[in-house]
Each structure stands twice: as structure tokens, then as C-alpha cells.
Amino acid sequence: MNRVYLELGPKKVFACSLGWPGWCRIGRSEESALDALTDYAPRYRVIAERAGLAFSPGDPVVVERVPGTSTTDFGAPDAVPEADAAPVDAAEAGRGVALMRAAWEIFDEVTAVSPEELRKGPRGGGRDRDPMVAHVVEAERAYARKVGVRHKPFHGDREARDAMRAELADTLARPGDAVTGAAVPGGWPVRYAVRRITWHVIDHIWEMEDRRY
């Protein structure tokens, strides 16, 4: 459970765990990205334990390097490693969904105790709480289309959001295609979809926590 791949952008590097969806951190070099991943292990443990999983991954071991894009440098993982094409069994798929659900729960809890106005970043940037929540949900709706789950814009409708998440979780709990790992033809592999969706939620959990005081 300590296998990691590196996504190498023109200027930045993402280190992403293959066994723990959503545990991904960025740095300006391979070493700094791996250091950041390790530094955030205690915070990721909160997600894992909420999902009912023991989290003791050990030191990261790099098993793959993939070229990144300008999106990597912007701050989001964008490349699909070869490892994601391997078949996903029901146990692994269910474990990934448990972590995704845990991230959703904790995001809602952090949102509930955070002020509307969040502390600005060093250059005065960053979304406040409600725009951040809307951003996470709308991004998730776009990601869902990559696995064949299509819903209209929510406009703050929590019931509609939860219905989409239920369908998304049901879709990603099933093994993907035996050759490509994709949830639907031409779509994202199940492993990548769970990792990208969970990472985005967790990244904003940590951002909101860091900026609420």
C-alpha cells in the first residue's frame, strides 16, 4: 500500500498514491513532492479511518513516472498512469468508494464549522467557503460525466447533489473494463476517477481547514 507514481509537469511534480485514492501532493521536484506526500500522511489518516481502514502505508515507493501537462503545473493531477488500466476487482473498487464517501462526509463537516469568509492566500486570492463548495460540486458533476453519470446543474440543491453522488458511488463500486479499466467506453478508468474525485474533495478540505482561522 505504499506504491506511488509521479506526474512530471513542466515545472511541478505530483506524487500520488496508487493504493490510497486522494492522497496526492505537489512539489517543485520529485523529492519535494514525495516529502509533501509524507508530511500529509497524518491528515490523510483522518480520511482513511473515517472509511474504516487502518492507515500505515510506510515509506513511498515510486513505481511509475508519467508526463504531466500545464494542468499539473496549475495544481491538479491530470495524467493517467499505466497502472490504472489494470483490472479492478470488487473489493478494491468498494474500498475506493469508501474513501470517497469518507471525504464527502468530512468535507461537509468542515464546511459546517467554517466561516463564510476565509483567510486570503499570500497574494490575496482563494475562494470563500460557499464559492468553494459550489466549485467542488460543479467539478464533481463534470468528473461524473467521465464515468457515464450525467446530471443537470444543482444550483445549491443538496438532494440533487446527493442523488448524483449515490449514482457515482454505485458506478465506481463496480469493476471497470477488463482491458482498459474504464467505467464506460472512452471514459476514465475506475482507479483514476476515484483518485481524481477524492483528491479534489480532500484538497479543498485541507484548504478550508488551513484558511478558516
Side-chain angles (χ1 to χ4, degrees):
M1 300 306 293
N2 61 348
R3 295 164 64 243
V4 169
Y5 72 90
L6 298 176
E7 180 177 322
L8 310 175
K11 297 179 181 178
K12 295 183 181 179
V13 177
F14 258 103
C16 294
S17 170
L18 286 165
W20 295 100
W23 187 28
C24 302
R25 301 315 293 163
I26 196 169
R28 294 190 176 277
S29 65
E30 293 188 10
E31 182 179 5
S32 64
L34 289 167
D35 285 345
L37 189 73
T38 301
D39 288 346
Y40 273 76
R43 296 181 82 170
Y44 187 87
R45 181 174 288 109
V46 175
I47 309 292
E49 290 179 348
R50 177 63 65 88
L53 301 170
F55 181 71
S56 299
D59 294 334
V61 175
V62 177
V63 297
E64 189 176 345
R65 288 172 171 82
V66 293
T69 66
S70 58
T71 300
T72 313
D73 286 353
F74 181 73
D78 192 43
V80 180
E82 289 183 9
D84 285 351
V88 180
D89 62 25
E92 181 185 352
R95 183 175 172 279
V97 166
L99 288 161
M100 185 171 66
R101 287 187 182 277
W104 286 336
E105 286 182 11
I106 292 172
F107 182 81
D108 284 350
E109 292 169 6
V110 171
T111 298
V113 297
S114 296
E116 159 56 22
E117 187 172 338
L118 300 174
R119 179 172 51 82
K120 300 304 179 188
R123 298 182 182 178
R127 298 177 181 88
D128 285 326
R129 184 196 63 201
D130 292 350
M132 188 186 298
V133 170
H135 162 72
V136 168
V137 172
E138 277 306 299
E140 209 162 85
R141 194 172 66 84
Y143 297 158
R145 292 198 294 269
K146 300 291 189 177
V147 296
V149 175
R150 298 181 179 276
H151 284 251
K152 295 179 180 178
F154 302 126
H155 303 300
D157 184 341
R158 188 155 176 159
E159 268 191 34
R161 182 206 72 173
D162 290 348
M164 185 214 51
R165 285 182 169 177
E167 185 179 350
L168 188 55
D170 181 65
T171 298
L172 295 177
R174 299 191 295 267
D177 181 83
V179 176
T180 66
V184 293
W188 280 353
V190 168
R191 280 196 185 91
Y192 179 78
V194 171
R195 183 185 312 117
R196 178 68 180 266
I197 292 166
T198 307
W199 163 80
H200 193 239
V201 177
I202 292 173
D203 193 57
H204 285 295
I205 289 171
W206 293 341
E207 181 188 358
M208 197 179 299
E209 287 177 337
D210 291 344
R211 294 178 51 225
R212 65 187 177 185
Y213 301 119

